Amino acid sequence: MARRNRGGGVAALAAALVFGSMTGSALADEAKKDHKEQKRIGEAAAEKELYVGKLALFDAKQIALGNLALEKTQDAKVRTFAQKLVDDHKRHLSGLKAWADSKQIEVATIDLSRPPQSGTGGSGAMQEGYDKKMEGVDERLNKAITEAEKDLDKLREKNGREFDKDFLSRVADDGKKGQDMVKDGMDKYRTDAAFSELLRGTREGIASNERQAKEMEKSFRR
């Protein structure tokens, strides 16, 4: 009579348990990797939204500076330059918002007289990464807005030639900082062709206004 090999069954069961354990572990590792990748994507999205917010604030401040000059200056050349500043940055801001809409990125609405309006919803690892990176964003943005408002308030106190000189000086100083900020974005997001092109045009416009402000400022030092 043939003998039944019971050991084979135990061995097979043991192998199945080991294989199942390995498969479960592999699945767990894969899930962990996917969670990590989704979280990274969320963090990158938050970083990009933060950067876009900085650009929007820069445009908003330059528009406010230009409008203030249009209200206070008595110099025809300064008035012409102020209008150009407003027009340039309204165009930059419009292009930024159009690009952001195409990427489903919200741009904070900033006019330096109201708190920024923004918000995003979602769930999962991607949202977890986004939320983590965005912690304290409102505070940082509000702090930057407060600093911009302080600059504007100081300028409002000036009149006549002193106002014109300080207005041009502020535009020139901001221009240097703005170019550095835009270059950072061009380096970081160089793989995004549309965004890089938008930033390139923005940087050229800022550089042009900075040069013009410096040249005009010289005439007020004589």
Side-chain angles (χ1 to χ4, degrees):
M1 186 172 71
R3 297 176 60 187
R4 173 180 280 175
N5 188 344
R6 299 178 65 88
V10 174
L13 177 59
L17 289 172
V18 170
F19 177 76
S21 176
M22 290 176 64
T23 301
S25 177
L27 288 173
D29 288 344
E30 189 64 28
K32 186 182 292 185
K33 288 179 182 178
D34 184 63
H35 183 277
K36 188 175 181 179
E37 176 63 14
Q38 291 296 309
K39 189 175 179 180
R40 185 194 66 76
I41 292 172
E43 290 174 348
E47 284 184 1
K48 205 164 196 176
E49 187 167 325
L50 281 171
Y51 181 68
V52 170
K54 291 178 182 179
L55 291 175
L57 175 57
F58 184 82
D59 278 330
K61 184 183 179 184
Q62 301 310 298
I63 291 169
L65 282 169
N67 282 330
L68 181 59
L70 289 172
E71 293 174 12
K72 294 181 71 75
T73 189
Q74 300 298 316
D75 187 290
K77 290 182 179 179
V78 173
R79 178 175 293 277
T80 298
F81 175 67
Q83 186 62 62
K84 179 179 182 295
L85 189 70
V86 171
D87 293 343
D88 283 353
H89 284 280
K90 280 185 175 180
R91 184 171 61 254
H92 296 161
L93 187 56
S94 177
L96 179 65
K97 287 182 176 179
W99 171 84
D101 285 345
S102 73
K103 300 291 185 179
Q104 296 184 320
I105 295 175
E106 291 194 49
V107 179
T109 300
I110 304 169
D111 68 2
L112 300 179
S113 65
R114 292 197 306 249
Q117 300 170 357
S118 62
T120 302
S123 59
M126 189 181 299
Q127 186 66 30
E128 178 187 343
Y130 176 88
D131 290 342
K132 182 67 176 177
K133 201 71 177 181
M134 292 292 282
E135 286 180 359
V137 168
D138 287 342
E139 289 81 358
R140 292 197 294 274
L141 187 56
N142 284 333
K143 182 178 179 180
I145 289 173
T146 298
E147 291 301 315
E149 288 174 334
K150 285 180 180 179
D151 286 343
L152 289 163
D153 286 341
K154 289 177 182 177
L155 195 57
R156 286 189 184 96
E157 296 174 359
K158 308 294 176 63
N159 292 291
R161 191 178 180 85
E162 184 183 17
F163 170 85
D164 292 338
K165 183 174 70 70
D166 285 3
F167 161 68
L168 294 169
S169 178
R170 171 50 55 194
V171 173
D173 288 346
D174 284 356
K176 184 179 185 307
K177 296 174 184 176
Q179 289 177 74
D180 290 342
M181 177 178 64
V182 173
K183 185 180 183 302
D184 288 343
M186 292 173 69
D187 292 340
K188 187 168 187 176
Y189 301 114
R190 59 184 176 275
T191 57
D192 188 326
F195 195 34
S196 293
E197 182 63 20
L198 173 66
L199 293 176
R200 184 189 63 77
T202 298
R203 191 176 186 217
E204 289 175 356
I206 294 172
S208 174
N209 286 331
E210 181 198 11
R211 287 193 299 270
Q212 188 173 350
K214 284 181 176 179
E215 286 300 314
M216 293 178 68
E217 186 186 5
K218 288 178 183 178
S219 67
F220 287 91
R221 293 177 181 173
R222 296 165 188 160

